Amino acid sequence: VPVLPIYTCDQPVLRKKAKPIRQGSDALAAFAGDMLKTMHNANGIGLAANQVGVLQRVIVVDLSGTEYAPADARPLALINPAIIATDGEWSLEEGCLSIPEIRDDVVRPEWIRVKYHDVDFKEQELEAKGMLGRVLQHEIDHLDGVLFIDHLNIVKRKLLRGRLNKIRRGEVEVTYPIVNGGAGAVSDHPLVR
Ligand SMILES: [Zn+2]
């Protein structure tokens, strides 16, 4: 299973809406596995398909081994995830593998209910609060072309411009392969149709 390169903030694929998946397949299960491996390789706790250049509605999340993890934490792959209920709100600092070295506070609902398909394409629902709820919301945003910096106010976004340009130029220290600069590219991963 390969580690996929992670597309960074200037890449058009991060600004597009990913398409719903209509059925399960071996290719889909393999892709979810590729995404988990890619996320773990980058020491991430969440990853959306857009971030590896694939416009399909797949996210992976894994809090196991982090301070936020409940005892039963395990890697999750969610197909076509959709938030169907929310409650409360709280502010928490977020970061993103596609926007290396930038972190800021974002306000989002505290509790969510999500429906999704698992990799066997069975319909599932889960409720999440705390860090899991936060990561799921961040990743589902990615599937709609939304980045966490979009939730910041205009003053903060202006202040980030110089640092975003550095990422465009590849002037970031990351330990994982990235795609940056140029006119943008879309992955040739077999799941792309
Ligand atoms: Zn992200």
Side-chain angles (χ1 to χ4, degrees), residues 104-169:
D104 215 326
D105 293 330
V106 178
V107 177
R108 297 185 193 264
E110 187 175 20
W111 173 93
I112 56 171
R113 179 180 294 139
V114 178
K115 67 171 187 179
Y116 63 101
H117 293 98
D118 62 24
V119 286
D120 298 321
F121 219 67
K122 288 199 193 94
E123 278 193 35
Q124 306 280 359
E125 269 188 36
L126 65 77
E127 292 179 3
K129 56 184 169 61
M131 184 59 76
L132 180 59
R134 175 58 62 132
V135 177
L136 287 168
Q137 291 176 78
H138 175 118
E139 302 313 329
I140 292 169
D141 259 3
H142 273 301
L143 299 179
D144 292 322
V146 175
L147 302 175
F148 84 86
I149 53 176
D150 301 342
H151 293 282
L152 304 178
N153 67 42
I154 185 103
V155 176
K156 282 190 170 182
R157 291 207 307 272
K158 277 188 179 160
L159 286 172
L160 285 179
R161 264 183 208 159
R163 295 170 69 192
L164 293 173
N165 279 327
K166 277 193 152 189
I167 298 172
R168 280 183 191 111
R169 294 194 299 266

Side-chain angles (χ1 to χ4, degrees), residues 14 46-48 51 94-99 138-139 142 146-148:
L14 291 175
L47 188 71
Q51 292 180 276
E94 294 188 22
C96 180
L97 295 175
S98 293
I99 314 174
H138 175 118
E139 302 313 329
H142 273 301
V146 175
L147 302 175
F148 84 86

Side-chain angles (χ1 to χ4, degrees), residues 1-182:
V1 184
V3 165
L4 306 167
I6 293 178
Y7 288 60
T8 56
C9 57
D10 64 324
Q11 297 296 303
V13 71
L14 291 175
R15 290 311 196 171
K16 290 183 179 151
K17 238 176 133 72
K19 295 184 204 82
I21 289 180
R22 302 197 187 286
Q23 58 185 17
S25 66
D26 290 348
L28 177 63
F31 176 61
D34 291 353
M35 283 182 63
L36 279 167
K37 183 161 184 177
T38 299
M39 178 183 76
H40 288 142
N41 177 65
N43 293 318
I45 54 177
L47 188 71
N50 303 48
Q51 292 180 276
V52 291
V54 173
L55 286 170
Q56 303 278 336
R57 300 188 82 82
V58 183
I59 64 172
V60 293
V61 174
D62 187 8
L63 298 185
S64 57
T66 72
E67 59 187 299
Y68 319 107
D72 60 348
R74 62 198 164 86
L76 281 174
L78 290 81
I79 316 302
N80 302 328
I83 295 169
I84 55 174
T86 67
D87 193 28
E89 65 171 37
W90 68 313
S91 180
L92 185 73
E93 192 180 74
E94 294 188 22
C96 180
L97 295 175
S98 293
I99 314 174
E101 297 177 354
I102 293 177
R103 306 187 65 81
D104 215 326
D105 293 330
V106 178
V107 177
R108 297 185 193 264
E110 187 175 20
W111 173 93
I112 56 171
R113 179 180 294 139
V114 178
K115 67 171 187 179
Y116 63 101
H117 293 98
D118 62 24
V119 286
D120 298 321
F121 219 67
K122 288 199 193 94
E123 278 193 35
Q124 306 280 359
E125 269 188 36
L126 65 77
E127 292 179 3
K129 56 184 169 61
M131 184 59 76
L132 180 59
R134 175 58 62 132
V135 177
L136 287 168
Q137 291 176 78
H138 175 118
E139 302 313 329
I140 292 169
D141 259 3
H142 273 301
L143 299 179
D144 292 322
V146 175
L147 302 175
F148 84 86
I149 53 176
D150 301 342
H151 293 282
L152 304 178
N153 67 42
I154 185 103
V155 176
K156 282 190 170 182
R157 291 207 307 272
K158 277 188 179 160
L159 286 172
L160 285 179
R161 264 183 208 159
R163 295 170 69 192
L164 293 173
N165 279 327
K166 277 193 152 189
I167 298 172
R168 280 183 191 111
R169 294 194 299 266
E171 293 167 13
V172 282
E173 288 194 26
V174 286
T175 56
Y176 48 91
I178 61 170
V179 178
N180 68 287

